[in-house]
Amino acid sequence: MSGAPRVLLVGAGAVGQVFGKYLQAAGCELSFLVKEKYAEEARRGYPLYELGLFSRRPRPVLFSGFGVRVSAREVAAERWDQVWLCVSSTALRDGNWVGELARATGDATWVMLQPALDDRDWLLQWVPEERLVSGMIPFLSFHAPLKPGDPLEGPGTAFWMPPMSRGLFSGPPERLQGVLRPLRAGGYPASRSEDVARAAAIPTAVLTVFINELESAGWSFDRFRERAHLERLQGAAREAVQIAARHTRTSASAVLPLLRPAFFKVLLAVASRVAPIDLETYLRVHFTKVGAQTRLMMRTYIDLGRTQEQPVQALQASVHGA
Ligand SMILES: NC(=O)c1ccc[n+]([C@@H]2O[C@H](COP(=O)([O-])OP(=O)(O)OC[C@H]3O[C@@H](n4cnc5c(N)ncnc54)[C@H](OP(=O)(O)O)[C@@H]3O)[C@@H](O)[C@H]2O)c1
């Protein structure tokens, strides 16, 4: 690789824009692959709001100066060093575009950020392990305003990087360096992990069943704190965590004793206090947007649990429409 890395970000939504901002700050030559319906908006650029504990009303900065591509055919006409998948786990499986894109991008490093337990195995059908870097997302980002009367100046994408966040990535050493170097140069808190899939498996399992139960509570924190919801969550969390641990060959023993109603209540109280946004609204809006992904992830825990011959009754009872 010579000169600035040429990076293609697939999906210019809340996550793609944030990674794009950091990669551009490091001097990467950036393009987005977007659906045709979003191309015009992308060409105008995106107002970005960076939220902080002491900047709840930041001014927008226009994020622009990147290329916009709308098809694998356009992509195939150029050389790419990296392809970043900034779409949901469900979007990955929607049609056969991943295979087409893999054929169109030669020897590029692929960066996956998806949360479902079997996403990596699924992607390995098209992208060899020697070129696949995995990452997890430590920030919150959303299309602002979240609700009428929000303090931001106008529409745009807002994001919050919690203090002391670490954006973990793992993969083959040389490919991984090619990802970590520009991210760090652009000011992103990128860290190397032995294995992101293992590091993320248990926190992701807890978050997924939590979101699933919050949805059952109508996205209301008050209703979520009722005993019936907390107890159902406790059962589902214990099952999901054990399935995720078995799948990634990690141990759940340190986490299992924590998974009690009081723990979920404290977690919610702390998160609501620290986040510089209305967390209840963010969770409703964001996880309604990616609702199909939550259902896919719940089904994945149940299917893997059955294969592992582990209990899945609580998970089944908490799935919507079960
Ligand atoms: N935002 C956060 O705070 C956050 C935090 C942690 C993890 N994540 C995870 O990050 C992933 C992306 O989330 P997001 O918030 O960025 O979602 P988003 O705002 O919906 O962005 C994804 C974008 O990609 C587009 N897209 C889907 N398939 C595509 C394809 N084949 N080619 C090009 N574009 C495509 C989507 O189009 P449509 O609008 O037509 O679907 C959408 O514009 C999800 O897995 C989410 O769970 C997000």
Side-chain angles (χ1 to χ4, degrees):
M1 188 176 79
S2 60
R6 291 181 49 84
V7 180
L8 180 71
L9 294 152
V10 184
V15 164
Q17 290 178 37
V18 174
F19 278 115
K21 168 208 131 61
Y22 285 104
L23 291 165
Q24 191 185 59
C28 292
E29 271 186 57
L30 209 67
S31 293
F32 283 100
L33 175 61
V34 300
K35 294 182 179 175
E36 185 81 55
K37 63 179 175 178
Y38 294 129
E40 208 180 304
E41 183 191 4
R43 288 189 187 106
R44 285 198 299 268
Y46 300 108
L48 277 187
Y49 294 91
E50 182 166 3
L51 301 169
L53 294 181
F54 304 106
S55 57
R56 290 173 187 236
R57 301 179 65 139
R59 296 186 65 75
V61 174
L62 186 70
F63 168 45
S64 59
F66 43 76
V68 178
R69 309 287 178 266
V70 293
S71 68
R73 209 161 140 215
E74 276 184 4
V75 167
E78 297 167 80
R79 178 189 64 77
W80 303 98
D81 296 308
Q82 295 176 16
V83 175
W84 285 62
L85 293 170
C86 302
V87 301
S88 65
S89 302
T90 33
L92 274 191
R93 292 161 173 81
D94 187 8
N96 52 7
W97 63 271
V98 173
E100 280 171 26
L101 193 61
R103 286 188 289 278
T105 51
D107 181 49
T109 298
W110 278 50
V111 182
M112 62 165 293
L113 302 157
Q114 286 66 33
L117 213 43
D118 58 349
D119 284 335
R120 187 179 149 81
D121 292 339
W122 190 89
L123 262 175
L124 286 172
Q125 297 174 82
W126 290 281
V127 183
E129 202 160 16
E130 307 79 68
R131 289 201 274 118
L132 186 57
V133 168
S134 305
M136 64 188 279
I137 301 168
F139 56 83
L140 304 186
S141 58
F142 54 89
H143 302 292
L146 273 177
K147 57 180 181 185
D150 264 4
L152 300 177
E153 249 172 48
T157 296
F159 71 100
W160 176 52
M161 186 71 73
M164 294 185 290
S165 299
R166 289 191 320 142
L168 299 181
F169 290 87
S170 63
E174 213 175 300
R175 302 285 180 157
L176 181 60
Q177 272 314 314
V179 169
L180 293 177
R181 207 177 300 119
L183 280 175
R184 287 174 180 154
Y188 184 88
S191 281
R192 198 184 81 85
S193 159
E194 272 309 308
D195 185 342
V196 162
R198 292 180 92 185
I202 290 179
T204 302
V206 175
L207 177 67
T208 305
V209 290
F210 162 78
I211 292 300
N212 179 71
E213 198 55 46
L214 185 61
E215 184 172 2
S216 294
W219 303 108
S220 153
F221 285 181
D222 281 345
R223 283 185 55 200
F224 171 81
R225 288 190 200 95
E226 289 168 7
R227 192 152 195 86
H229 285 295
L230 292 171
E231 283 180 353
R232 198 160 63 163
L233 172 57
Q234 178 178 5
R238 292 181 67 85
E239 288 180 359
V241 158
Q242 289 178 92
I243 292 162
R246 173 87 68 90
H247 186 71
T248 53
R249 288 185 230 97
T250 43
S251 168
S253 57
V255 175
L256 286 172
L258 294 176
L259 300 175
R260 312 178 79 84
F263 168 75
F264 296 114
K265 279 203 217 166
V266 169
L267 206 62
L268 199 57
V270 172
S272 306
R273 188 156 264 261
V274 174
I277 54 171
D278 172 356
L279 193 63
E280 191 177 40
T281 306
Y282 163 79
L283 293 176
R284 172 175 56 76
V285 171
H286 176 70
F287 285 100
T288 300
K289 180 177 77 178
V290 297
Q293 174 181 272
T294 306
R295 280 177 277 286
L296 170 81
M297 292 171 76
M298 291 295 286
R299 275 200 310 277
T300 305
Y301 291 120
I302 293 170
D303 291 347
L304 286 172
R306 285 201 184 113
T307 311
Q308 297 168 354
E309 299 184 356
Q310 297 218 61
V312 293
Q313 290 86 340
L315 278 167
Q316 274 180 305
S318 63
V319 164
H320 299 287

